């Protein structure tokens, strides 16, 4: 089951493969020309997903208004999709392991004492681990319960607002991290522009989003209703470029499940032609997704089976280490020590 806030489509102009003028323009090109990719979300509920004919960016159209989306993430999202108002112990173990990885990434970009902002910080494990490694950490988390949990449990600084509503000082942070958040935001262009404004010249952005080209996610499973935008290695740098950010590196993993990028705010603004960055991207993405739509359910079954085994093994490890420690801070410390060993 999914949540009705994302189902703003009235059912019209939903024929798959049809060329339409999308209600919302592509945030990269500002153009409305699009083709309908799918008319249902992964749960079977009505959701129109389109691909921009100018850039190849994939997005949900139409979308609910910004206030409705913010309110959903403020009070409902974690309970709706995670069945919890605070992180489960196994999630704390997982978050701690990932936080250790991400702090190592931050260390390659900034020295101790650097001001770091984590957007969509959840329950705050990255802020806690980053602070222990000498960084001046601050987070933004729209969910009220999770923000309160992070403050109380780890003593970290969390702004309990949406990125759209939060006040951020100009040219203040050395590093901004935003992992698996941008795809949920109703205006990613406004979000990256706000990040650029709060970043010091020469500062960095670490970003990660799901990859629309994923080989492990079957076509009908790609359309999570909360994922309003679907990026790839072309569209993410193109969007960053029109927001005043330069892409230093962009990468994905062997099965292309995610897109990660390191961005920077140049000391002197540079002109980047987004059209060059997305040249042929519409054609390539459209063909790839058409091919995936025709695959049978058992396509790539062997890789999916391997992924299921890895997930089971990870869950067992998380539960085992969670049961060994009854204090959240000590659990995070234990996981990060074990990872570093």
């Amino acid at each position: 089951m999914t949540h009705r806030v994302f189902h703003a489509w009235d059912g019209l102009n939903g024929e798959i493969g049809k060329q339409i003028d999308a209600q919302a323009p592509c945030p990269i090109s500002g153009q409305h020309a699009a083709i309908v990719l799918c008319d249902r979300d992964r749960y079977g509920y009505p959701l129109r997903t389109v691909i921009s004919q100018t850039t190849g960016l994939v997005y949900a159209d139409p979308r609910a208004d910004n206030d409705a989306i913010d309110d959903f993430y403020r009070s409902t999202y974690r309970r709706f999709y995670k069945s919890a108002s605070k992180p489960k112990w196994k999630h704390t173990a997982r978050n701690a392991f990932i936080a250790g990885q991400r702090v190592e990434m931050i260390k390659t970009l900034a020295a101790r004492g650097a001001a770091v902002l984590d957007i969509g910080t959840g329950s705050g494990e990255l802020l806690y681990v980053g602070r222990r490694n000498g960084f001046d950490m601050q987070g933004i988390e729209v969910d009220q319960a999770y923000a309160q949990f992070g403050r109380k449990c780890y003593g970290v600084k969390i702004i309990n607002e949406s990125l759209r509503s939060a006040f951020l000082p100009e040219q203040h942070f050395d590093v901004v991290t935003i992992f698996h958040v941008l795809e949920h935001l109703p205006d990613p262009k406004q979000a990256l522009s706000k990040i650029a404004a709060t970043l010091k010249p020469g500062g960095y952005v670490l970003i990660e989003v799901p990859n629309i080209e994923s080989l492990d996610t079957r076509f009908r499973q790609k359309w999570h209703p909360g994922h309003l935008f679907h990026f790839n290695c072309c569209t993410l740098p193109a969007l960053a470029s029109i927001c005043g950010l330069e892409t230093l590196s962009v990468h994905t993993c062997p099965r292309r499940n995610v897109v990660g990028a390191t961005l920077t705010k140049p000391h002197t603004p540079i002109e980047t032609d987004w059209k060059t960055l997305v040249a042929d991207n519409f054609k390539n993405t459209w063909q790839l997704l058409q091919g995936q739509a025709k695959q049978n359910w058992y396509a790539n079954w062997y890789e999916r089976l391997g992924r299921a085994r890895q997930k089971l093994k990870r869950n067992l490890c998380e539960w085992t280490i969670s049961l060994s420690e009854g204090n959240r801070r000590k659990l995070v410390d234990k996981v990060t020590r074990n990872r570093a060993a």
Side-chain angles (χ1 to χ4, degrees):
M1 189 174 180
T2 188
H3 198 274
R4 60 185 174 82
V5 73
F6 296 109
H7 299 130
W9 179 44
D10 60 10
L12 301 177
N13 292 326
E15 182 181 347
I16 296 173
K18 181 179 179 181
Q19 296 186 22
I20 65 168
D21 282 335
Q23 290 191 26
C26 168
I28 300 171
S29 67
Q31 301 298 311
H32 292 259
I35 294 178
V36 178
L37 274 175
C38 195
D39 61 357
R40 292 289 185 272
D41 66 20
R42 62 173 62 174
Y43 306 104
Y45 290 89
L47 181 77
R48 187 175 71 181
T49 302
V50 303
I51 179 170
S52 167
Q53 289 183 269
T54 52
T55 67
L57 179 66
V58 176
Y59 58 99
D61 177 81
R63 296 185 295 276
D65 65 83
N66 293 350
D67 290 336
I69 292 173
D70 283 355
D71 184 64
F72 170 75
Y73 285 108
R74 183 176 297 110
S75 59
T76 307
Y77 173 71
R78 304 285 182 183
R79 282 154 292 289
F80 202 83
Y81 287 107
K82 302 294 184 181
S83 302
S85 59
K86 66 179 182 180
K88 298 176 182 178
W89 284 88
K90 70 169 186 175
H91 291 156
T92 296
R94 184 182 308 169
N95 293 343
F97 184 85
I98 295 172
Q101 293 177 318
R102 291 173 176 172
V103 167
E104 291 303 313
M105 296 168 64
I106 295 170
K107 286 181 178 179
T108 66
L109 302 175
R112 291 173 64 91
V116 181
L117 175 68
D118 181 40
I119 298 170
T121 200
S123 46
E125 286 81 9
L126 176 57
L127 304 183
Y128 174 66
V129 176
R131 186 180 66 190
R132 284 180 51 231
N133 280 268
F135 295 106
D136 179 12
M137 304 293 296
Q138 185 170 340
I140 295 178
E141 174 53 49
V142 67
D143 186 284
Q144 294 172 334
Y146 268 57
Q148 183 177 4
F149 176 91
R151 291 169 180 157
K152 182 178 179 180
C153 186
Y154 304 116
V156 292
K157 296 183 288 185
I158 299 178
I159 303 169
N160 184 205
E161 295 279 355
S162 66
L163 175 59
R164 185 171 64 91
S165 304
F167 169 77
L168 298 177
E170 291 193 6
Q171 300 187 13
H172 178 77
F173 293 99
D174 298 286
V175 179
V176 175
T177 60
I178 177 168
F179 296 104
H180 292 273
V181 172
L182 193 67
E183 68 272 15
H184 292 271
L185 303 181
D187 191 343
K189 180 180 177 181
Q190 185 271 343
L192 284 183
S193 296
K194 188 166 186 174
I195 289 170
T198 198
L199 199 64
K200 294 177 182 177
Y204 299 95
V205 180
L206 290 172
I207 186 168
E208 192 172 282
V209 293
N211 188 357
I212 187 60
E213 298 178 1
S214 171
L215 300 177
D216 283 333
T217 307
R218 288 182 289 124
F219 181 81
R220 286 285 178 177
Q221 291 296 309
K222 291 181 184 288
W223 320 120
H224 186 301
H227 292 180
L228 305 179
F229 292 87
H230 305 266
F231 299 93
N232 64 12
C233 289
C234 295
T235 51
L236 184 59
L239 180 64
S241 71
I242 64 174
C243 298
L245 297 168
E246 180 184 359
T247 300
L248 297 179
S249 66
V250 61
H251 64 272
T252 187
C253 57
R255 299 296 295 172
R256 306 202 312 227
N257 294 328
V258 299
V259 175
T262 302
L263 315 175
T264 188
K265 179 179 178 178
H267 288 274
T268 303
I270 61 172
E271 295 249 346
T272 304
D273 182 9
W274 62 263
K275 293 181 181 179
T276 301
L277 296 174
V278 295
D280 296 326
N281 188 56
F282 163 70
K283 180 182 70 174
N284 295 337
T285 306
W286 172 239
Q287 290 177 349
L288 182 145
L289 292 174
Q290 280 184 306
Q292 290 187 348
K294 295 175 183 177
Q295 289 178 344
N296 295 316
W297 68 270
Y298 52 80
N300 299 324
W301 68 270
Y302 184 77
E303 288 83 0
R304 292 204 303 276
L305 181 61
R307 190 178 177 191
R309 288 198 194 100
Q310 291 176 349
K311 186 175 181 179
L312 177 60
K313 182 179 178 180
R314 182 195 67 189
N315 286 338
L316 288 173
C317 291
E318 290 168 353
W319 277 117
T320 300
I321 196 168
S322 297
L323 291 171
S324 71
E325 183 54 69
N327 178 280
R328 297 271 187 171
R329 285 198 190 197
K330 291 182 179 179
L331 175 59
V332 174
D333 292 342
K334 186 174 185 177
V335 171
T336 51
R337 278 198 310 269
N338 290 349
R339 181 189 169 275

